[in-house]
Amino acid sequence: MRAKEYAFPVSVEWENGRLVCVHVDGKSEVTVTSPPEFNRGADPSVWSPEDLFGAAAASCLAVTITGLAEREGLPLRSLAVDAVGTVGRRDDGNFGFVRLEQHVAVETDPGEEEHARALVEKAEASCLVRVSLDVDVETSVEVSALGRFARPRLVDA
């Protein structure tokens, strides 16, 4: 490995049917299966690789925002990132992710709104998962001062 390279090993073991278990040393296991859209009879309560794709991007953006906020002294009062990954026929003819939409809602102190907006843009540009993707990513940002936070969601609750 070169300097400034980090490895993140995972192990995936087949359980039965289309069910697999993802292992990372020292962490909780995650059970994964194909989604009901691709597997009739699949348990919709079990994570799919497609769920994990959106979760990886959204959680990476969230932790990048929190890290930058900590370094730059931006008071975070509330932070939420919602994401929707859309799968379809890609320009290269393959079936895969064609778009990832993210909505970031940040609540901060009055007078810090522009700082928060700039920080989210900086986080999006430097988020490790985001910069590794070969798919269009659309991010909308909502910043509000403390006490005025209303969280619209991209996904139905």
Side-chain angles (χ1 to χ4, degrees):
M1 246 190 298
R2 294 182 235 154
K4 284 287 200 173
E5 283 189 349
Y6 306 93
F8 297 91
V10 300
S11 175
V12 178
E13 295 179 24
W14 175 67
E15 297 287 317
N16 61 62
R18 294 189 190 182
L19 196 66
V20 299
C21 191
V22 180
H23 305 269
V24 174
D25 284 345
K27 298 180 183 181
S28 299
E29 298 176 344
V30 177
T31 303
V32 178
T33 193
S34 51
E37 292 83 353
F38 305 139
N39 178 12
R40 290 184 195 160
D43 183 348
S45 69
V46 176
W47 284 78
S48 72
E50 294 77 8
D51 296 328
L52 294 169
F53 177 88
S59 60
C60 183
L61 181 55
V63 298
T64 303
I65 291 167
T66 62
L68 288 173
E70 188 176 281
R71 270 184 249 126
E72 293 186 14
L74 175 73
L76 279 182
R77 302 305 175 201
S78 183
L79 170 65
V81 180
D82 292 325
V84 175
T86 302
V87 172
R89 186 72 54 200
R90 296 172 52 104
D91 291 340
D92 62 7
N94 291 317
F95 194 75
F97 280 93
V98 294
R99 182 173 59 259
L100 178 67
E101 297 170 71
Q102 300 179 118
H103 178 78
V104 178
V106 177
E107 187 175 41
T108 189
D109 290 347
E112 293 286 349
E113 295 90 347
E114 286 309 310
H115 183 194
R117 189 171 301 284
L119 187 138
V120 171
E121 289 176 16
K122 188 178 190 180
E124 184 181 23
S126 62
C127 171
L128 179 66
V129 171
R130 163 65 186 100
V131 300
S132 301
L133 297 177
D134 181 25
V135 64
D136 290 334
V137 178
E138 302 166 16
T139 303
S140 62
V141 180
E142 174 191 353
V143 176
S144 62
L146 191 60
R148 293 183 282 181
F149 183 74
R151 180 180 176 205
R153 294 182 50 89
L154 289 175
V155 292
D156 294 331

mmCIF file of all heavy atoms in Angstrom, residues 84-121:
data_model
loop_
_atom_site.group_PDB
_atom_site.id
_atom_site.type_symbol
_atom_site.label_atom_id
_atom_site.label_comp_id
_atom_site.label_asym_id
_atom_site.label_seq_id
_atom_site.Cartn_x
_atom_site.Cartn_y
_atom_site.Cartn_z
ATOM 1 N N VAL A 84 -31.984 9.060 -2.315
ATOM 2 C CA VAL A 84 -32.724 8.124 -3.152
ATOM 3 C C VAL A 84 -31.826 7.769 -4.336
ATOM 4 O O VAL A 84 -31.431 8.647 -5.099
ATOM 5 C CB VAL A 84 -34.047 8.728 -3.676
ATOM 6 C CG1 VAL A 84 -34.727 7.761 -4.642
ATOM 7 C CG2 VAL A 84 -34.974 9.089 -2.540
ATOM 8 N N GLY A 85 -31.498 6.491 -4.434
ATOM 9 C CA GLY A 85 -30.749 6.011 -5.595
ATOM 10 C C GLY A 85 -31.733 5.470 -6.616
ATOM 11 O O GLY A 85 -32.655 4.737 -6.264
ATOM 12 N N THR A 86 -31.555 5.855 -7.874
ATOM 13 C CA THR A 86 -32.440 5.403 -8.945
ATOM 14 C C THR A 86 -31.672 4.492 -9.886
ATOM 15 O O THR A 86 -30.586 4.837 -10.349
ATOM 16 C CB THR A 86 -33.009 6.616 -9.722
ATOM 17 O OG1 THR A 86 -33.706 7.456 -8.794
ATOM 18 C CG2 THR A 86 -33.968 6.171 -10.811
ATOM 19 N N VAL A 87 -32.253 3.323 -10.142
ATOM 20 C CA VAL A 87 -31.649 2.317 -11.006
ATOM 21 C C VAL A 87 -32.412 2.281 -12.323
ATOM 22 O O VAL A 87 -33.635 2.385 -12.342
ATOM 23 C CB VAL A 87 -31.702 0.933 -10.311
ATOM 24 C CG1 VAL A 87 -31.251 -0.171 -11.248
ATOM 25 C CG2 VAL A 87 -30.865 0.942 -9.040
ATOM 26 N N GLY A 88 -31.691 2.148 -13.419
ATOM 27 C CA GLY A 88 -32.298 2.054 -14.739
ATOM 28 C C GLY A 88 -31.238 1.735 -15.775
ATOM 29 O O GLY A 88 -30.107 1.391 -15.443
ATOM 30 N N ARG A 89 -31.594 1.895 -17.029
ATOM 31 C CA ARG A 89 -30.662 1.640 -18.123
ATOM 32 C C ARG A 89 -29.724 2.828 -18.252
ATOM 33 O O ARG A 89 -30.139 3.954 -18.414
ATOM 34 C CB ARG A 89 -31.436 1.420 -19.420
ATOM 35 C CG ARG A 89 -30.614 1.002 -20.584
ATOM 36 C CD ARG A 89 -30.073 -0.410 -20.548
ATOM 37 N NE ARG A 89 -31.125 -1.397 -20.337
ATOM 38 C CZ ARG A 89 -30.891 -2.622 -19.899
ATOM 39 N NH1 ARG A 89 -29.671 -3.015 -19.626
ATOM 40 N NH2 ARG A 89 -31.875 -3.460 -19.720
ATOM 41 N N ARG A 90 -28.434 2.564 -18.153
ATOM 42 C CA ARG A 90 -27.411 3.608 -18.239
ATOM 43 C C ARG A 90 -27.053 3.886 -19.696
ATOM 44 O O ARG A 90 -27.365 3.088 -20.580
ATOM 45 C CB ARG A 90 -26.162 3.172 -17.466
ATOM 46 C CG ARG A 90 -26.413 3.020 -15.964
ATOM 47 C CD ARG A 90 -25.241 2.401 -15.243
ATOM 48 N NE ARG A 90 -23.991 3.071 -15.506
ATOM 49 C CZ ARG A 90 -23.379 3.902 -14.655
ATOM 50 N NH1 ARG A 90 -23.906 4.137 -13.477
ATOM 51 N NH2 ARG A 90 -22.248 4.469 -14.972
ATOM 52 N N ASP A 91 -26.383 5.005 -19.921
ATOM 53 C CA ASP A 91 -25.959 5.376 -21.272
ATOM 54 C C ASP A 91 -25.041 4.324 -21.903
ATOM 55 O O ASP A 91 -25.001 4.186 -23.122
ATOM 56 C CB ASP A 91 -25.242 6.730 -21.255
ATOM 57 C CG ASP A 91 -26.188 7.882 -20.946
ATOM 58 O OD1 ASP A 91 -27.418 7.711 -21.113
ATOM 59 O OD2 ASP A 91 -25.704 8.952 -20.537
ATOM 60 N N ASP A 92 -24.311 3.570 -21.076
ATOM 61 C CA ASP A 92 -23.409 2.538 -21.594
ATOM 62 C C ASP A 92 -24.148 1.236 -21.917
ATOM 63 O O ASP A 92 -23.535 0.244 -22.304
ATOM 64 C CB ASP A 92 -22.260 2.270 -20.623
ATOM 65 C CG ASP A 92 -22.718 1.734 -19.269
ATOM 66 O OD1 ASP A 92 -23.917 1.422 -19.085
ATOM 67 O OD2 ASP A 92 -21.862 1.640 -18.368
ATOM 68 N N GLY A 93 -25.487 1.234 -21.742
ATOM 69 C CA GLY A 93 -26.289 0.052 -22.045
ATOM 70 C C GLY A 93 -26.489 -0.880 -20.870
ATOM 71 O O GLY A 93 -27.341 -1.769 -20.920
ATOM 72 N N ASN A 94 -25.721 -0.717 -19.818
ATOM 73 C CA ASN A 94 -25.855 -1.558 -18.634
ATOM 74 C C ASN A 94 -26.987 -1.070 -17.747
ATOM 75 O O ASN A 94 -27.338 0.113 -17.753
ATOM 76 C CB ASN A 94 -24.555 -1.571 -17.827
ATOM 77 C CG ASN A 94 -23.443 -2.294 -18.547
ATOM 78 O OD1 ASN A 94 -23.658 -3.354 -19.117
ATOM 79 N ND2 ASN A 94 -22.255 -1.717 -18.532
ATOM 80 N N PHE A 95 -27.550 -1.988 -16.976
ATOM 81 C CA PHE A 95 -28.562 -1.660 -15.992
ATOM 82 C C PHE A 95 -27.833 -1.372 -14.685
ATOM 83 O O PHE A 95 -27.040 -2.191 -14.226
ATOM 84 C CB PHE A 95 -29.529 -2.840 -15.828
ATOM 85 C CG PHE A 95 -30.780 -2.504 -15.091
ATOM 86 C CD1 PHE A 95 -31.782 -1.767 -15.702
ATOM 87 C CD2 PHE A 95 -30.975 -2.926 -13.784
ATOM 88 C CE1 PHE A 95 -32.952 -1.459 -15.025
ATOM 89 C CE2 PHE A 95 -32.137 -2.629 -13.103
ATOM 90 C CZ PHE A 95 -33.129 -1.888 -13.732
ATOM 91 N N GLY A 96 -28.039 -0.203 -14.125
ATOM 92 C CA GLY A 96 -27.350 0.161 -12.890
ATOM 93 C C GLY A 96 -27.865 1.482 -12.360
ATOM 94 O O GLY A 96 -28.881 2.009 -12.825
ATOM 95 N N PHE A 97 -27.160 2.026 -11.398
ATOM 96 C CA PHE A 97 -27.564 3.319 -10.847
ATOM 97 C C PHE A 97 -27.368 4.400 -11.893
ATOM 98 O O PHE A 97 -26.294 4.494 -12.505
ATOM 99 C CB PHE A 97 -26.776 3.647 -9.575
ATOM 100 C CG PHE A 97 -27.312 2.935 -8.373
ATOM 101 C CD1 PHE A 97 -26.791 1.718 -7.988
ATOM 102 C CD2 PHE A 97 -28.367 3.470 -7.650
ATOM 103 C CE1 PHE A 97 -27.297 1.040 -6.899
ATOM 104 C CE2 PHE A 97 -28.894 2.803 -6.561
ATOM 105 C CZ PHE A 97 -28.358 1.581 -6.186
ATOM 106 N N VAL A 98 -28.402 5.192 -12.095
ATOM 107 C CA VAL A 98 -28.335 6.292 -13.061
ATOM 108 C C VAL A 98 -28.331 7.650 -12.364
ATOM 109 O O VAL A 98 -27.986 8.658 -12.969
ATOM 110 C CB VAL A 98 -29.506 6.233 -14.074
ATOM 111 C CG1 VAL A 98 -29.388 4.988 -14.951
ATOM 112 C CG2 VAL A 98 -30.864 6.282 -13.380
ATOM 113 N N ARG A 99 -28.732 7.646 -11.098
ATOM 114 C CA ARG A 99 -28.829 8.925 -10.387
ATOM 115 C C ARG A 99 -28.892 8.674 -8.891
ATOM 116 O O ARG A 99 -29.417 7.666 -8.443
ATOM 117 C CB ARG A 99 -30.097 9.648 -10.858
ATOM 118 C CG ARG A 99 -30.360 10.990 -10.293
ATOM 119 C CD ARG A 99 -31.563 11.692 -10.952
ATOM 120 N NE ARG A 99 -32.831 10.951 -10.843
ATOM 121 C CZ ARG A 99 -33.387 10.216 -11.803
ATOM 122 N NH1 ARG A 99 -32.810 10.096 -12.968
ATOM 123 N NH2 ARG A 99 -34.543 9.603 -11.603
ATOM 124 N N LEU A 100 -28.343 9.600 -8.155
ATOM 125 C CA LEU A 100 -28.464 9.608 -6.698
ATOM 126 C C LEU A 100 -28.882 11.008 -6.295
ATOM 127 O O LEU A 100 -28.202 11.976 -6.622
ATOM 128 C CB LEU A 100 -27.132 9.248 -6.037
ATOM 129 C CG LEU A 100 -27.110 9.279 -4.512
ATOM 130 C CD1 LEU A 100 -28.005 8.184 -3.936
ATOM 131 C CD2 LEU A 100 -25.699 9.122 -3.986
ATOM 132 N N GLU A 101 -30.029 11.104 -5.648
ATOM 133 C CA GLU A 101 -30.511 12.397 -5.167
ATOM 134 C C GLU A 101 -30.348 12.434 -3.651
ATOM 135 O O GLU A 101 -30.691 11.472 -2.968
ATOM 136 C CB GLU A 101 -31.984 12.581 -5.518
ATOM 137 C CG GLU A 101 -32.253 12.598 -7.009
ATOM 138 C CD GLU A 101 -33.742 12.541 -7.293
ATOM 139 O OE1 GLU A 101 -34.425 13.550 -7.034
ATOM 140 O OE2 GLU A 101 -34.195 11.473 -7.752
ATOM 141 N N GLN A 102 -29.809 13.532 -3.163
ATOM 142 C CA GLN A 102 -29.614 13.699 -1.724
ATOM 143 C C GLN A 102 -30.229 15.026 -1.297
ATOM 144 O O GLN A 102 -30.161 16.002 -2.031
ATOM 145 C CB GLN A 102 -28.123 13.720 -1.376
ATOM 146 C CG GLN A 102 -27.391 12.467 -1.753
ATOM 147 C CD GLN A 102 -25.921 12.538 -1.422
ATOM 148 O OE1 GLN A 102 -25.455 11.759 -0.625
ATOM 149 N NE2 GLN A 102 -25.203 13.462 -2.014
ATOM 150 N N HIS A 103 -30.807 15.016 -0.130
ATOM 151 C CA HIS A 103 -31.308 16.262 0.459
ATOM 152 C C HIS A 103 -30.656 16.408 1.822
ATOM 153 O O HIS A 103 -30.752 15.519 2.669
ATOM 154 C CB HIS A 103 -32.830 16.255 0.605
ATOM 155 C CG HIS A 103 -33.336 17.512 1.240
ATOM 156 N ND1 HIS A 103 -33.465 18.693 0.539
ATOM 157 C CD2 HIS A 103 -33.682 17.785 2.513
ATOM 158 C CE1 HIS A 103 -33.884 19.628 1.371
ATOM 159 N NE2 HIS A 103 -34.025 19.104 2.578
ATOM 160 N N VAL A 104 -29.989 17.530 1.999
ATOM 161 C CA VAL A 104 -29.311 17.826 3.262
ATOM 162 C C VAL A 104 -30.102 18.921 3.965
ATOM 163 O O VAL A 104 -30.373 19.972 3.382
ATOM 164 C CB VAL A 104 -27.863 18.312 3.023
ATOM 165 C CG1 VAL A 104 -27.190 18.653 4.343
ATOM 166 C CG2 VAL A 104 -27.073 17.278 2.250
ATOM 167 N N ALA A 105 -30.469 18.681 5.211
ATOM 168 C CA ALA A 105 -31.136 19.690 6.036
ATOM 169 C C ALA A 105 -30.245 19.961 7.244
ATOM 170 O O ALA A 105 -29.914 19.047 7.997
ATOM 171 C CB ALA A 105 -32.511 19.206 6.479
ATOM 172 N N VAL A 106 -29.844 21.206 7.368
ATOM 173 C CA VAL A 106 -28.953 21.614 8.450
ATOM 174 C C VAL A 106 -29.627 22.697 9.262
ATOM 175 O O VAL A 106 -30.172 23.656 8.713
ATOM 176 C CB VAL A 106 -27.622 22.189 7.894
ATOM 177 C CG1 VAL A 106 -26.734 22.684 9.011
ATOM 178 C CG2 VAL A 106 -26.903 21.160 7.051
ATOM 179 N N GLU A 107 -29.552 22.556 10.571
ATOM 180 C CA GLU A 107 -30.022 23.609 11.467
ATOM 181 C C GLU A 107 -28.815 24.106 12.251
ATOM 182 O O GLU A 107 -28.043 23.317 12.793
ATOM 183 C CB GLU A 107 -31.088 23.065 12.411
ATOM 184 C CG GLU A 107 -31.733 24.157 13.255
ATOM 185 C CD GLU A 107 -32.873 23.582 14.093
ATOM 186 O OE1 GLU A 107 -32.721 22.475 14.629
ATOM 187 O OE2 GLU A 107 -33.901 24.256 14.203
ATOM 188 N N THR A 108 -28.662 25.421 12.257
ATOM 189 C CA THR A 108 -27.534 26.045 12.936
ATOM 190 C C THR A 108 -28.016 27.278 13.688
ATOM 191 O O THR A 108 -29.214 27.537 13.750
ATOM 192 C CB THR A 108 -26.417 26.390 11.920
ATOM 193 O OG1 THR A 108 -25.254 26.811 12.621
ATOM 194 C CG2 THR A 108 -26.859 27.462 10.936
ATOM 195 N N ASP A 109 -27.104 28.017 14.241
ATOM 196 C CA ASP A 109 -27.457 29.236 14.970
ATOM 197 C C ASP A 109 -27.756 30.381 13.998
ATOM 198 O O ASP A 109 -27.209 30.411 12.885
ATOM 199 C CB ASP A 109 -26.315 29.653 15.900
ATOM 200 C CG ASP A 109 -26.144 28.703 17.069
ATOM 201 O OD1 ASP A 109 -27.037 27.872 17.306
ATOM 202 O OD2 ASP A 109 -25.102 28.798 17.749
ATOM 203 N N PRO A 110 -28.591 31.337 14.405
ATOM 204 C CA PRO A 110 -28.848 32.505 13.571
ATOM 205 C C PRO A 110 -27.530 33.191 13.211
ATOM 206 O O PRO A 110 -26.633 33.319 14.036
ATOM 207 C CB PRO A 110 -29.719 33.403 14.464
ATOM 208 C CG PRO A 110 -30.395 32.442 15.403
ATOM 209 C CD PRO A 110 -29.373 31.367 15.657
ATOM 210 N N GLY A 111 -27.432 33.601 11.943
ATOM 211 C CA GLY A 111 -26.230 34.268 11.460
ATOM 212 C C GLY A 111 -25.198 33.315 10.874
ATOM 213 O O GLY A 111 -24.218 33.740 10.271
ATOM 214 N N GLU A 112 -25.410 32.002 11.024
ATOM 215 C CA GLU A 112 -24.453 30.998 10.527
ATOM 216 C C GLU A 112 -24.943 30.280 9.270
ATOM 217 O O GLU A 112 -24.302 29.349 8.799
ATOM 218 C CB GLU A 112 -24.182 29.959 11.625
ATOM 219 C CG GLU A 112 -23.461 30.489 12.828
ATOM 220 C CD GLU A 112 -21.977 30.746 12.565
ATOM 221 O OE1 GLU A 112 -21.450 30.329 11.516
ATOM 222 O OE2 GLU A 112 -21.350 31.367 13.435
ATOM 223 N N GLU A 113 -26.067 30.739 8.715
ATOM 224 C CA GLU A 113 -26.676 30.029 7.600
ATOM 225 C C GLU A 113 -25.764 29.938 6.368
ATOM 226 O O GLU A 113 -25.632 28.871 5.764
ATOM 227 C CB GLU A 113 -28.020 30.675 7.205
ATOM 228 C CG GLU A 113 -29.084 30.579 8.266
ATOM 229 C CD GLU A 113 -29.102 31.760 9.239
ATOM 230 O OE1 GLU A 113 -28.126 32.562 9.253
ATOM 231 O OE2 GLU A 113 -30.091 31.878 9.980
ATOM 232 N N GLU A 114 -25.124 31.038 5.978
ATOM 233 C CA GLU A 114 -24.247 31.013 4.803
ATOM 234 C C GLU A 114 -23.018 30.147 5.052
ATOM 235 O O GLU A 114 -22.544 29.455 4.144
ATOM 236 C CB GLU A 114 -23.861 32.422 4.375
ATOM 237 C CG GLU A 114 -24.985 33.177 3.695
ATOM 238 C CD GLU A 114 -25.637 32.383 2.551
ATOM 239 O OE1 GLU A 114 -24.905 31.864 1.673
ATOM 240 O OE2 GLU A 114 -26.878 32.264 2.541
ATOM 241 N N HIS A 115 -22.490 30.190 6.262
ATOM 242 C CA HIS A 115 -21.363 29.335 6.623
ATOM 243 C C HIS A 115 -21.767 27.870 6.469
ATOM 244 O O HIS A 115 -21.013 27.052 5.914
ATOM 245 C CB HIS A 115 -20.924 29.647 8.057
ATOM 246 C CG HIS A 115 -19.729 28.879 8.518
ATOM 247 N ND1 HIS A 115 -19.368 28.823 9.828
ATOM 248 C CD2 HIS A 115 -18.807 28.122 7.858
ATOM 249 C CE1 HIS A 115 -18.281 28.069 9.958
ATOM 250 N NE2 HIS A 115 -17.926 27.632 8.774
ATOM 251 N N ALA A 116 -22.963 27.532 6.925
ATOM 252 C CA ALA A 116 -23.457 26.155 6.830
ATOM 253 C C ALA A 116 -23.615 25.727 5.377
ATOM 254 O O ALA A 116 -23.210 24.623 4.992
ATOM 255 C CB ALA A 116 -24.784 26.014 7.570
ATOM 256 N N ARG A 117 -24.174 26.591 4.562
ATOM 257 C CA ARG A 117 -24.370 26.265 3.147
ATOM 258 C C ARG A 117 -23.024 26.024 2.451
ATOM 259 O O ARG A 117 -22.845 25.049 1.714
ATOM 260 C CB ARG A 117 -25.137 27.387 2.451
ATOM 261 C CG ARG A 117 -25.578 27.053 1.046
ATOM 262 C CD ARG A 117 -26.521 28.111 0.484
ATOM 263 N NE ARG A 117 -27.715 28.281 1.280
ATOM 264 C CZ ARG A 117 -28.758 27.445 1.308
ATOM 265 N NH1 ARG A 117 -28.730 26.352 0.594
ATOM 266 N NH2 ARG A 117 -29.812 27.704 2.046
ATOM 267 N N ALA A 118 -22.061 26.887 2.704
ATOM 268 C CA ALA A 118 -20.724 26.728 2.114
ATOM 269 C C ALA A 118 -20.053 25.455 2.609
ATOM 270 O O ALA A 118 -19.377 24.759 1.841
ATOM 271 C CB ALA A 118 -19.869 27.951 2.437
ATOM 272 N N LEU A 119 -20.248 25.141 3.866
ATOM 273 C CA LEU A 119 -19.651 23.946 4.443
ATOM 274 C C LEU A 119 -20.232 22.676 3.804
ATOM 275 O O LEU A 119 -19.497 21.735 3.504
ATOM 276 C CB LEU A 119 -19.873 23.939 5.954
ATOM 277 C CG LEU A 119 -19.156 22.825 6.711
ATOM 278 C CD1 LEU A 119 -18.559 23.379 7.998
ATOM 279 C CD2 LEU A 119 -20.092 21.697 7.023
ATOM 280 N N VAL A 120 -21.532 22.663 3.553
ATOM 281 C CA VAL A 120 -22.151 21.500 2.915
ATOM 282 C C VAL A 120 -21.607 21.331 1.494
ATOM 283 O O VAL A 120 -21.304 20.215 1.055
ATOM 284 C CB VAL A 120 -23.690 21.600 2.909
ATOM 285 C CG1 VAL A 120 -24.313 20.502 2.044
ATOM 286 C CG2 VAL A 120 -24.236 21.520 4.326
ATOM 287 N N GLU A 121 -21.437 22.416 0.761
ATOM 288 C CA GLU A 121 -20.874 22.337 -0.588
ATOM 289 C C GLU A 121 -19.448 21.790 -0.540
ATOM 290 O O GLU A 121 -19.063 20.959 -1.369
ATOM 291 C CB GLU A 121 -20.893 23.711 -1.256
ATOM 292 C CG GLU A 121 -22.279 24.166 -1.637
ATOM 293 C CD GLU A 121 -22.314 25.565 -2.209
ATOM 294 O OE1 GLU A 121 -21.241 26.089 -2.598
ATOM 295 O OE2 GLU A 121 -23.416 26.130 -2.291
#
